[in-house]
Amino acid sequence: MTPAPVRVRFAPSPTGFLHIGGARTALLNWLFARHSGGSFILRIEDTDRNRLTAGAVEGLMDALRWLGLEWDEGPDKGGPHGPYVQSERKALYHAWANGLLEQGKAYKCWATPEELQRAREIAQKSRGGKIAGYERIYRFISDAERAQVQAERGDAYVIRFAMPLEGETVVHDRVRGKIVFDNADQSDTVLLKSDGFPTYHLAMAVDDHFMQISHVMRSDEWVPSLALHQQLYEAFGWPAPEWVHLPVILNPTGKGKLSKRKPPVDEKGNPIPVMVHEYRELGYLPEALVNFLTNIGYSFGDDREVFTVEETIGRFDLRRINPASGTFPMQKLIWLNGKYIADLTDEDFITRVTPFLQAAYGERFEAASLHAITPFIKERVNPLMQAVALIKFLYVYDPSPAEELIMKKMDAAQTSTILERSHALLSTIEPFVHTATEPPMRDLVEALGFKPGQVFGTLRQAVTGQLVSPPLFESMEVMGKATSLQRLAEAQARLAAG
Ligand code: GLU
């Protein structure tokens, strides 16, 4: 018998932006599908109507696309098992919940919050703190009682799953191995809510079955619900999918899980973003983030850390997912991102950095100077957003005040000499390229008896108005001779005036 094709899904709830943990779940699903020639499905789980956020679906799709995780079936693409949005599949959930009702595998529960609270308190007192199953108020009532409540309270009910009361539920997880649940510890979970929407549990089971999902790969936060999910499949008479529970990602410090509620910090105590779009806006490259996310809690069994996505797909193996939670080593991400940026072709670098500069400088941005400066900054900007400050002088010149022109252990007169002599020397040099300007300028520094840092610090402030810039002579070359000389002269004038 040929094994069923691999069909996996990413099933986000549209409650906000794509979280880095969600991105990793999506990535591992996608890698598995691509490795095995299977399908990757995007399903929108929007049954919790109170938590919906406008624009979230578009945001999630944008982030997935940016990471390169294209799906084969989904809300925008359609596919043979649609619709791929749960709110459009309500009839199906009703039909199957009602089927369970008819078979006595689920029951209607009319309990009000007050009734439930009372049942809980009673259970707590009488059963020494063991309260599992306290909610079974309407499970064992007689048919006559049921008819009476139905007549009195009508449709104000939820449908609860009738969990087996005894025995064990044994589940095999591909990451954790065998997991055994004691059924006596389980509750009767709500499947269909009184607003007519299913809970996650019902919708997930029905959809994964009808979408022919072969492997449910999701966060291991769902492990506590696994007994219910396995029992649900049995109640429906469907084979359960393969379960693959992925360990959560921990903070860089290793303490606590990476969450959006408690902003995490890196190894040095600085806050770090947790949303994919934030990394995008800072100028992390998607390929660096994908490489980085693959390495968390996953190992190819060698020490290498840099992989192309094609190689990752080729070598992907479910057995290499580590059952222990992995931390989020922020410094590694920074390192990887720097490496990916440095390895870009100049042209690719320009394409990627341009939007950042355009957003910052609008009309004042122009491409020619970016082209010229690129070889000198490619290895210095990480993330790309840093280019905005580093090469600001090419688009916006904020002259440094006189006192900032004077370096440590220097005075105004010495600084003025530097500016004057540099101006005089540089004005004689043609062509005005860094290979022609730098050697005589270094000779001048020596002749004047100053340290290179003192002279070049002054010149940098004078021509760029910045404390930090790309290499000085390369920067002047890109600015051009006229601008460089003009700024030197103006700086000297400011110094004289100040
Ligand atoms: N909608 C669920 C969530 O956002 C999906 C979990 C799953 O992959 O089954 O957590």
Side-chain angles (χ1 to χ4, degrees):
M1 211 175 83
T2 43
V6 166
R7 289 180 54 84
V8 288
R9 84 298 192 280
F10 180 55
S13 301
T15 56
F17 291 108
L18 183 61
H19 183 268
I20 207 86
R24 174 166 158 275
T25 301
L27 170 63
L28 293 179
N29 275 284
W30 180 85
L31 286 170
F32 185 40
R34 293 294 170 262
H35 173 81
S36 33
S39 302
F40 176 58
I41 290 121
L42 177 64
R43 181 170 78 217
I44 301 298
E45 302 206 327
D46 60 347
T47 59
D48 189 348
R49 309 305 286 174
N50 299 324
R51 293 181 59 225
L52 299 186
T53 312
V57 174
E58 289 67 32
L60 289 162
M61 287 186 180
D62 263 5
L64 290 171
R65 281 199 198 100
W66 178 71
L67 289 168
L69 310 182
E70 268 300 335
W71 48 98
D72 306 303
E73 298 166 29
D76 55 331
K77 287 215 162 105
H81 304 286
Y84 294 89
V85 177
Q86 289 188 328
S87 57
E88 295 169 22
R89 301 169 64 84
K90 276 166 75 181
L92 194 59
Y93 310 130
H94 281 244
W96 286 91
N98 285 323
L100 291 182
L101 267 187
E102 279 158 26
Q103 296 175 59
K105 293 174 178 171
Y107 62 94
K108 293 181 182 177
C109 166
W110 285 269
T112 61
E114 295 73 31
E115 269 177 279
L116 284 170
Q117 178 60 21
R118 217 173 321 123
R120 193 187 159 93
E121 281 162 18
I122 293 169
Q124 221 150 14
K125 274 191 210 128
S126 61
R127 303 201 343 236
K130 267 201 137 192
I131 57 162
Y134 74 86
E135 71 290 327
R136 292 186 177 121
I137 309 170
Y138 291 87
R139 177 160 171 183
F140 299 110
I141 57 176
S142 67
D143 288 350
E145 285 170 314
R146 198 176 307 278
Q148 196 187 336
V149 198
Q150 175 84 58
E152 284 166 10
R153 302 206 196 170
D155 288 343
Y157 62 83
V158 300
I159 295 182
R160 284 186 191 272
F161 185 61
M163 269 303 271
L165 303 172
E166 290 161 1
E168 290 175 336
T169 303
V170 179
V171 188
H172 294 275
D173 181 81
R174 292 288 289 263
V175 178
R176 298 187 164 207
K178 182 172 160 187
I179 311 177
V180 180
F181 296 89
D182 198 343
N183 291 340
D185 295 338
Q186 306 297 318
S187 306
D188 287 356
T189 307
V190 175
L191 299 180
L192 202 67
K193 299 180 279 185
S194 51
D195 65 1
F197 278 90
T199 57
Y200 165 72
H201 312 286
L202 174 64
M204 177 277 309
V206 169
D207 286 352
D208 285 342
H209 174 71
F210 285 104
M211 295 182 180
Q212 296 177 9
I213 299 302
S214 59
H215 297 70
V216 167
M217 251 171 133
R218 60 183 177 186
S219 152
D220 70 2
E221 290 167 301
W222 294 107
V223 167
S225 307
L226 202 44
L228 165 66
H229 298 164
Q230 182 79 13
Q231 289 292 344
L232 258 177
Y233 273 93
E234 279 173 32
F236 284 131
W238 301 332
E242 298 265 2
W243 304 109
V244 187
H245 285 92
L246 307 169
V248 295
I249 306 179
L250 302 176
N251 281 324
T253 55
K255 283 190 220 113
K257 84 174 227 247
L258 196 67
S259 102
K260 53 188 160 190
R261 285 174 206 100
K262 208 167 138 237
V265 290
D266 68 9
E267 300 88 331
K268 295 176 181 162
N270 303 312
I272 61 164
V274 286
M275 298 297 177
V276 170
H277 75 99
E278 296 176 289
Y279 284 96
R280 180 181 185 174
E281 286 157 13
L282 286 168
Y284 283 83
L285 303 193
E287 50 272 56
L289 203 53
V290 160
N291 190 150
F292 171 74
L293 289 173
T294 313
N295 290 350
I296 300 181
Y298 184 89
S299 156
F300 285 110
D302 54 29
D303 288 340
R304 275 180 54 214
E305 295 185 275
V306 187
F307 301 94
T308 63
V309 76
E310 290 75 22
E311 196 180 355
T312 309
I313 291 171
R315 294 175 64 178
F316 189 78
D317 185 342
L318 280 185
R319 284 170 298 194
R320 294 226 169 255
I321 297 173
N322 191 335
S325 290
T327 55
F328 188 89
M330 188 64 193
Q331 297 307 319
K332 269 277 158 58
L333 172 56
I334 295 171
W335 172 78
L336 264 178
N337 197 51
K339 180 159 175 44
Y340 274 90
I341 293 177
D343 288 347
L344 292 175
T345 61
D346 286 1
E347 212 169 312
D348 201 358
F349 176 83
I350 290 164
T351 308
R352 302 211 204 197
V353 83
T354 296
F356 291 90
L357 298 166
Q358 273 171 336
Y361 301 121
E363 295 282 285
R364 287 188 278 190
F365 168 75
E366 49 84 35
S369 56
L370 174 61
H371 278 257
I373 202 82
T374 285
F376 312 121
I377 64 167
K378 223 171 62 179
E379 294 185 16
R380 289 183 166 82
V381 294
N382 175 25
L384 291 177
M385 181 58 130
Q386 289 181 354
V388 169
L390 191 67
I391 58 171
K392 178 179 166 198
F393 65 95
L394 293 177
Y395 312 112
V396 178
Y397 176 51
D398 275 338
S400 303
E403 63 274 12
E404 280 172 25
L405 296 167
I406 305 170
M407 297 294 113
K408 274 203 197 98
K409 300 196 185 143
M410 299 287 279
D411 60 26
Q414 291 168 316
T415 305
S416 184
T417 306
I418 287 172
L419 288 168
E420 192 189 336
R421 296 288 297 272
S422 301
H423 188 282
L425 173 59
L426 288 168
S427 57
T428 65
I429 298 176
E430 269 317 324
F432 198 72
V433 292
H434 70 276
T435 43
T437 52
E438 183 163 353
M441 282 299 294
R442 289 200 177 269
D443 293 343
L444 176 66
V445 170
E446 211 161 302
L448 292 174
F450 296 127
K451 294 204 181 82
Q454 295 172 317
V455 175
F456 299 154
T458 293
L459 298 184
R460 184 187 313 282
Q461 286 281 5
V463 295
T464 68
Q466 298 172 196
L467 190 60
V468 181
S469 78
L472 178 62
F473 296 100
E474 285 80 345
S475 299
M476 292 208 279
E477 176 183 329
V478 174
M479 265 185 281
K481 188 171 182 176
T483 308
S484 302
L485 291 177
Q486 188 190 342
R487 290 181 184 182
L488 286 175
E490 283 172 8
Q492 204 190 344
R494 278 200 307 285
L495 199 60

